């Protein structure tokens, strides 16, 4: 498949990741028109928001046909796991429209932890020891748990909005939670199966890769900051900040990641005939210099994309073209050597319940940073909060110190009642 010289793009999603995609796409010399469904107040600066849900496939299909869309870019996992790529492939009017994302079968790499673990074992990708439990083998699951050392890792097999992983110190409590997940349906049908894993200790990082199903391009490593408070305290969030590149992911480490993880994964995708034209997010852990996979995601990360794409110097449309034409090996993808650092501004109360509709001011007063929108909307022309993570402020600079100085020097100009953010993004990497 090919895309024309001038492209009409439909981007699906409404978060900070999609705002970062929208910004990069808007800079393409090959862009004709960008639509974002449904988008947010930030994406509206780079294209036209259209009020369509990313999982309303028939409506998306109609929109694609009536607006002469030449390329669909899928941001979040939900439409991918629900099969949007297959929906396009099976429709006579849509099958010629290139779409960035894996098929439903390939999206199970994120949609089913059990499938992902089996895939890793089949393809010799280093990962934690595991055992999958369902209603039929709970007793075996309990026995497996008792062979492990604390802490115990329990993962709901299916998507659980980032909440499906429990890390528990006490064996008895882990057994009770295993029952709660499977019998008590703690995460609904997502926890009908549970993957029990050996606990891996080390520093986590993410590596982002584009693939056409045959070739791959390593985009960049990035580090995410998951806890709400400084010094990794407090509850987990979707991510409160990110840095790319990651200093400890040096050449030796990245060579190991490429040879032991990325290559076997992409070869496995090809060997198993999984139709995959999109992004792979490798959630990794550095176990004493040896990388292991914690999880695959079949999309880019949020807020890692904000940092990764801030470093992209080449035209993103060329990357998309390489992916859909299966000629990714021929594409020159150029990243800045500089460091991108992103700090998320979140609503009061997040990651618990939070108010919406608070007025945001100062958005036009910042300098030398990109202010991506995550949970914002326009209310009668005024930008207001509409999500837990509201904005992501990104700077690109020579090193972590300068990027921190740029971001933290600008954040105070942006104001909304109850704003909270971490002050220590990047400090651990110096
Ligand atoms: P996941 O949804 O699989 O990314 O898991 C969420 C978080 O749980 C990860 O980012 C890790 O911090 C942690 N985690 C998951 N699996 C393991 C493991 N096997 N060992 C240690 N930590 C883990
Ligand atoms: N920041 C983690 C994720 O996007 O899943």
């Amino acid at each position: 498949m090919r895309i024309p010289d001038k492209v009409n793009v439909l981007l699906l999603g409404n978060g900070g990741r999609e705002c970062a995609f929208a910004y990069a796409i808007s800079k393409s010399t090959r862009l004709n028109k960008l639509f974002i469904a449904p988008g947010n107040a930030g994406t509206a600066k780079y294209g036209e928001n259209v009020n369509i849900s990313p999982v309303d496939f028939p409506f998306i299909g109609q929109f694609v046909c009536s607006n002469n869309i030449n390329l669909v870019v899928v941001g979040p996992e939900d439409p991918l796991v629900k099969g949007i790529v297959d929906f396009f492939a099976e429709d006579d009017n849509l099958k010629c429209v290139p779409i960035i994302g894996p098929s439903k079968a390939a999206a199970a790499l994120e949609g089913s932890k059990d499938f992902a673990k089996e895939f890793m074992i089949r393809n010799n990708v280093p990962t934690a020891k595991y055992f999958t439990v369902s209603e039929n083998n709970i007793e075996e699951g309990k026995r497996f748990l008792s062979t492990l050392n604390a802490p115990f890792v329990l993962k709901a097999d299916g998507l659980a909005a980032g909440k499906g992983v429990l890390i528990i110190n006490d064996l008895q409590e882990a057994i009770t939670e295993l029952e709660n997940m499977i019998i008590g349906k703690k995460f609904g049908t997502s926890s009908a199966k549970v993957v029990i894993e050996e606990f891996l200790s080390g520093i986590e990082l993410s590596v982002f890769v584009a693939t056409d199903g045959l070739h791959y391009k390593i985009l960049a490593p990035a580090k995410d900051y998951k806890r709400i408070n400084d010094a990794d305290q407090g509850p987990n969030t979707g991510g409160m900040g990110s840095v790319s590149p990651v200093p400890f992911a040096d050449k030796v480490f990245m060579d190991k990641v490429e040879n032991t993880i990325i290559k076997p994964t992409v070869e496995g995708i090809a060997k198993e005939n999984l139709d995959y034209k999109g992004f792979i997010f490798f959630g990794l852990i550095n176990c004493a210099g040896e990388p292991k996979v914690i999880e695959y995601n079949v999309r880019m990360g949020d807020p890692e994309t904000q940092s990764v794409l801030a470093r992209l110097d080449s035209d993103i449309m060329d990357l998309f073209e390489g992916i859909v034409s299966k000629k990714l090996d021929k594409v020159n993808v150029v990243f800045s050597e500089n460091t991108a650092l992103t700090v998320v501004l979140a609503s009061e109360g997040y990651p618990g319940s939070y108010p919406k509709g608070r007025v945001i001011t100062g958005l036009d007063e910042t300098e030398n940073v990109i202010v991506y929108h995550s949970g914002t909307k326009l209310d009668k022309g005024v930008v207001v909060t509409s999500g837990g993570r509201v904005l992501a402020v990104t700077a690109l600079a020579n090193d972590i110190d300068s990027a921190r100085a740029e971001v933290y020097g600008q954040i105070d100009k942006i104001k909304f009642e109850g704003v909270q953010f971490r002050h220590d993004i990047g400090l651990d990497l110096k």
Side-chain angles (χ1 to χ4, degrees), residues 80 92 94 114 134 137 179-180 189 212 214 217-218 257-258 261 270 298 322 348 384:
L80 296 167
D92 281 342
L94 299 172
D114 179 47
S134 60
N137 62 350
E179 288 173 340
N180 284 345
T189 52
D212 57 15
L214 205 54
K217 285 276 172 198
I218 300 176
V257 171
E258 179 164 11
I261 291 174
V298 296
E348 183 176 11
V384 300

Side-chain angles (χ1 to χ4, degrees), residues 13-327:
N14 66 348
R17 167 184 48 216
E18 286 75 26
C19 195
F21 267 122
Y23 177 60
I25 294 168
S26 74
K27 289 193 297 182
S28 171
T29 55
R30 296 179 59 186
L31 180 67
N32 186 49
K33 173 113 201 190
L34 170 63
F35 296 95
I36 309 97
N40 59 36
T43 61
K45 288 189 289 186
Y46 309 120
E48 185 179 330
N49 289 347
V50 288
N51 193 14
I52 304 178
S53 156
V55 291
D56 188 345
F57 301 163
F59 198 3
I60 292 167
Q62 277 173 27
F63 185 86
V64 164
C65 293
S66 48
N67 290 276
N68 193 20
I69 298 296
N70 316 112
L71 177 70
V72 179
V73 180
V74 186
E77 64 277 14
D78 213 23
L80 296 167
V81 172
K82 293 195 165 111
I84 189 166
V85 170
D86 308 67
F87 180 85
F88 271 59
E90 287 156 15
D91 185 303
D92 281 342
N93 296 318
L94 299 172
K95 65 182 175 205
C96 297
V97 181
I99 176 163
I100 301 286
S103 63
K104 185 174 181 170
L109 288 171
E110 175 166 358
S112 164
K113 304 255 184 212
D114 179 47
F115 176 81
K117 294 296 279 192
E118 285 184 355
F119 176 92
M120 288 183 240
I121 302 301
R122 278 198 300 276
N123 292 289
N124 267 320
V125 175
T127 187
K129 220 166 45 177
Y130 82 108
F131 185 78
T132 302
V133 191
S134 60
E135 219 171 28
N136 311 326
N137 62 350
I138 292 193
E139 289 311 312
E140 264 180 276
K142 291 181 189 168
R143 277 199 294 278
F144 180 74
L145 267 176
S146 62
T147 66
L148 299 175
N149 296 321
F152 304 96
V153 182
L154 303 181
K155 299 184 172 185
D157 176 57
L159 294 184
K163 299 195 165 69
V165 177
L166 303 181
I167 298 183
I168 301 165
N169 284 317
D170 178 70
L171 177 62
Q172 216 39 57
E173 200 188 319
I175 290 173
T176 307
E177 280 297 352
L178 181 69
E179 288 173 340
N180 284 345
M181 287 171 91
I182 295 175
I183 300 164
K185 301 191 167 56
K186 182 170 179 141
F187 300 103
T189 52
S190 287
S191 61
K193 276 196 227 169
V194 170
V195 172
I196 303 174
E197 261 185 32
E198 158 200 26
F199 181 84
L200 299 175
S201 50
I203 308 181
E204 285 180 55
L205 80 159
S206 314
V207 174
F208 295 91
V209 168
T211 184
D212 57 15
L214 205 54
H215 316 99
Y216 61 84
K217 285 276 172 198
I218 300 176
L219 304 177
K223 186 167 188 293
D224 179 17
Y225 292 78
K226 288 241 166 72
R227 303 300 186 100
I228 186 76
N229 294 325
D230 286 7
D232 293 332
Q233 300 297 306
N236 260 321
T237 70
M240 293 299 291
S242 64
V243 178
S244 176
V246 182
F248 70 79
D250 56 13
K251 169 130 179 46
V252 173
F253 184 79
M254 286 304 288
D255 281 350
K256 283 187 192 167
V257 171
E258 179 164 11
N259 291 324
T260 68
I261 291 174
I262 298 173
K263 265 193 194 143
T265 297
V266 175
E267 280 166 14
I269 286 170
K271 205 165 56 199
E272 300 189 13
N273 287 319
L274 295 171
D275 175 16
Y276 203 130
K277 296 191 189 75
F279 297 100
I280 315 176
F281 165 158
F282 293 86
L284 306 180
I285 192 154
N286 177 356
C287 300
E290 297 307 317
K292 293 192 178 180
V293 177
I294 294 241
E295 63 167 348
Y296 291 123
N297 293 308
V298 296
R299 51 168 174 90
M300 294 290 287
D302 187 345
E304 294 95 323
T305 307
Q306 289 86 321
S307 288
V308 168
L309 290 187
R311 296 180 52 217
L312 179 65
D313 279 339
S314 50
D315 192 319
I316 197 165
M317 214 67 89
D318 297 342
L319 176 66
F320 290 145
E321 174 141 70
I323 294 174
V324 300
S325 64
K326 277 194 165 265
K327 291 191 177 132

Side-chain angles (χ1 to χ4, degrees), residues 354-404:
Y354 50 83
K356 291 182 182 176
R358 292 195 164 160
V359 173
I360 307 170
T361 59
L363 288 166
D364 295 326
E365 288 165 29
T366 57
E367 290 156 52
N368 291 333
V369 290
I370 313 170
V371 182
Y372 298 113
H373 291 224
S374 304
T376 67
K377 67 171 195 186
L378 280 170
D379 184 9
K380 301 187 189 85
V382 177
V383 182
V384 300
T385 66
S386 69
R389 292 187 292 171
V390 177
L391 298 162
V393 183
T394 302
L396 186 66
N398 285 337
D399 52 33
I400 290 177
D401 275 337
S402 344
R404 275 180 53 82

